[in-house]
Structure formats: C-alpha cells, structure tokens
Amino acid sequence: EGIVVRGVTLKRDLARVVLIGVPNKPGIAARIFAHVAKHKIVVDDIIQNVYDQGQVANISFTTSLGDAKEAVACGEELAKEIGFKQVELDENVAKVSIVGIGMKTHTGVAAQMFNALSEAKVNIQNINTSEIVISCLIDQKDGEHALQTLHAAFDLDK
Amino acid sequence: EGIVVRGVTLKRDLARVVLIGVPNKPGIAARIFAHVAKHKIVVDDIIQNVYDQGQVANISFTTSLGDAKEAVACGEELAKEIGFKQVELDENVAKVSIVGIGMKTHTGVAAQMFNALSEAKVNIQNINTSEIVISCLIDQKDGEHALQTLHAAFDLDK
Ligand SMILES: C[C@@H](O)[C@H](N)C(=O)O
Ligand SMILES: C[C@@H](O)[C@H](N)C(=O)O
C-alpha cells in the first residue's frame, strides 16, 4: 500500500469573501461568477453549501489580497441585484493543503489533518476536499506553524 | 495551450448531510470527523464555510445512500454534545464533476460549468473546486441530463 499523503503546500496572501443567504435556484451561481469574471477578479477556490432545507446557500470564494476590495464591491452589487443578506470579507487568510492519492478511500486522512491542526491550536475556517487535495483555509499568522505541523503529522519531514 | 477540461463524471446514490451553525473554534472539525469515522461512515467530500463574522460554520459532507441514516444519527449526537443548531439530510443527491488540468488559471471554466447547468435548468446545491476537479452536487433526477449537458458544453461528445 503506497504512501497516501505526498506533500503539504501553503498558499499565502489570500482574501476570503462569503455571500450569505443566496437564493438556491438555478442560474444564480452562473450569474455571480460571470459578474466576478467581468470585474477581472481571479478566483482561487469556490465553496458552496446549501442549507435551511435547500432554501439558501452560502457561497465562499478566495482571491488574492490585491483583488479583495474589488471582490467585495462586486459581492455588494450582486447582493442588491440578486437579493441576498450579506457579504463578508476576511483579508487575513492562507490556504494549507495536503496533497496525495486515493485520499478518499483512506477515510482517516482528513480527520488526521484536522486533528493535527487542532492540536496545534490552529483554527480551520473553510474546508474543501477531493481525492488528491484536502485544503483548509486558516489565519495567515498560522501558516508557517500549520505547514510544519502537517509535515510532522504525515511523516514528511524526514 | 492544451485542452483544459478532459472529462465529466457522475457519481450517483449519494446523501448530503449538513451541520448548521457549528461553533468556529479549534478542535471541532477533528471531533466531528473522528466521531463519523467511529460510526464506520465512509465520507465522500467535506465542504465547510465559515460565516457570521467567523462565529459559526456550516459543515457539509456526502456519504453513500446506505450510510445516510447512520450519518444523521451521528450528526444529531454531535449537535447535542458540541451544541449546534441543526442537522439536515438530503437523500436524493448526485455529484457531477468536470475533470481537467490547470482549471484555476482558466478563470472562465467554473463559470462555464455553472452556466451550462443553469441553461439546462439544473439546480446546483454544493460546489467544491480544485485545479483538477470542479464538482457540483445536484438532484439525483438531474444526473444524466447534467452529464450530457456538460459533455456538450465542453465539446467532449465528439
Ligand atoms: C446557489 C446557486 O448555486 C444556485 N443553486 C444555482 O444553481 O445557481
Ligand atoms: C468549525 C471547525 O472547522 C473549527 N473551526 C475547527 O477548527 O475545528
């Protein structure tokens, strides 16, 4: 059985924008991200969760720090146009990721990552998983510490 | 410049569980997924969004339909133990994904996927992106239609 987690990466200087209470009906995500693209904002990750029995969604995306103000302005235009509750911004974000293969079938891997960060007292903001990458958004100040913690947790610093 | 989107996949018979209003402090995600693993539930994707100025998070995960009841029972135990508002279940879910390379730097790709689904009147529940895979959770009944729509949208059915 091969080594599952092959590396850890850290992406700094990100901003996180979340659109809260977006109506959950077809066409909304398309409209939002067409508008974001029109503002020439480069999007890193998009994370959306539906809740309140499928009535609304929170849509979060990350951009470079440089695009943060533009992204919020864009979000506020959309809040008026589409009609949703709130736009929030966090300009103090980094993304730490573990990279591997077949991580889905090794159910413990995500839990192991969250556990390592928790023991290092690093708060996890957003989570985003696939078979190949599990990413956590954290405070920028925790970036280096999170990187070292995960290297140790997955035996990668030998 | 190579072809960015190489294929579309559909994963059927999924259930979506969302834990609503989870306190946003270190150790919670670790506790939740250790508990889920203890119940022998196999988790497909995990998506977490923080909101309300970082006070709470919604954490969503997908499992097989067969694990749905167990996953909800597990979520409800955690709601009591940890103290959060609500657990919701949708047993009618499929995941459609576009697979490619370097999709982040081609900013239009996600917007193009959302647009194609919107024109097909397919509602997007959850969204989850990385450089290699962009996944949307949709209603099970829309699975086949979404698959064909995306094949056509990305010129993959020639
Ligand atoms: C919220 C948003 O994703 C909506 N459900 C859509 O399909 O566009
Ligand atoms: C909500 C949960 O992810 C919490 N922030 C944690 O770090 O565990």
Side-chain angles (χ1 to χ4, degrees), chain A residues 13 17 67 73 90 101 113 137:
Chain A
D13 302 330
V17 175
D67 278 349
D90 185 343
I101 48 164
M113 179 183 191
L137 284 191

Side-chain angles (χ1 to χ4, degrees), chain A residues 24-26 44-50 52-53 58 60 88 104 118 123-129, chain B residues 16 24-26 44-50 52-53 58 60 88 104 123-129:
Chain A
N24 182 28
K25 43 188 171 79
D44 182 53
D45 277 334
I46 299 166
I47 295 176
Q48 170 177 303
N49 258 331
V50 151
D52 282 356
Q53 315 201 333
N58 290 347
S60 182
E88 292 184 342
K104 291 269 184 66
S118 132
N123 188 54
I124 301 165
Q125 301 174 13
N126 286 4
I127 298 168
N128 183 359
T129 69
Chain B
R16 169 176 65 79
N24 183 28
K25 44 189 170 76
D44 182 52
D45 277 333
I46 299 166
I47 295 176
Q48 170 177 302
N49 259 331
V50 153
D52 282 358
Q53 317 202 331
N58 289 347
S60 182
E88 293 185 344
K104 290 269 182 67
N123 189 53
I124 301 165
Q125 300 174 14
N126 286 4
I127 297 168
N128 181 0
T129 68

Side-chain angles (χ1 to χ4, degrees), chain A residues 35-131:
Chain A
H35 196 74
V36 169
K38 202 146 128 274
H39 276 246
K40 302 252 182 291
I41 294 161
V42 176
V43 170
D44 182 53
D45 277 334
I46 299 166
I47 295 176
Q48 170 177 303
N49 258 331
V50 151
Y51 62 112
D52 282 356
Q53 315 201 333
Q55 296 187 71
V56 290
N58 290 347
I59 308 181
S60 182
F61 61 94
T62 35
T63 67
S64 66
L65 268 184
D67 278 349
K69 294 277 180 285
E70 185 77 9
V72 173
C74 181
E76 288 170 347
E77 288 167 19
L78 287 163
K80 292 202 185 73
E81 253 179 66
I82 292 176
F84 56 85
K85 199 172 95 173
Q86 183 90 355
V87 180
E88 292 184 342
L89 170 71
D90 185 343
E91 284 182 284
N92 192 20
V93 176
K95 179 170 75 170
V96 68
S97 306
I98 58 177
V99 183
I101 48 164
M103 294 200 291
K104 291 269 184 66
T105 52
H106 291 82
T107 333
V109 178
Q112 199 178 342
M113 179 183 191
F114 305 151
N115 200 50
L117 292 174
S118 132
E119 297 195 341
K121 309 227 182 331
V122 174
N123 188 54
I124 301 165
Q125 301 174 13
N126 286 4
I127 298 168
N128 183 359
T129 69
S130 69
E131 268 203 37

Side-chain angles (χ1 to χ4, degrees), chain B residues 87-105:
Chain B
V87 180
E88 293 185 344
L89 170 71
D90 185 345
E91 285 182 283
N92 195 19
V93 176
K95 178 170 75 171
V96 68
S97 306
I98 57 177
V99 184
I101 49 166
M103 294 199 292
K104 290 269 182 67
T105 52

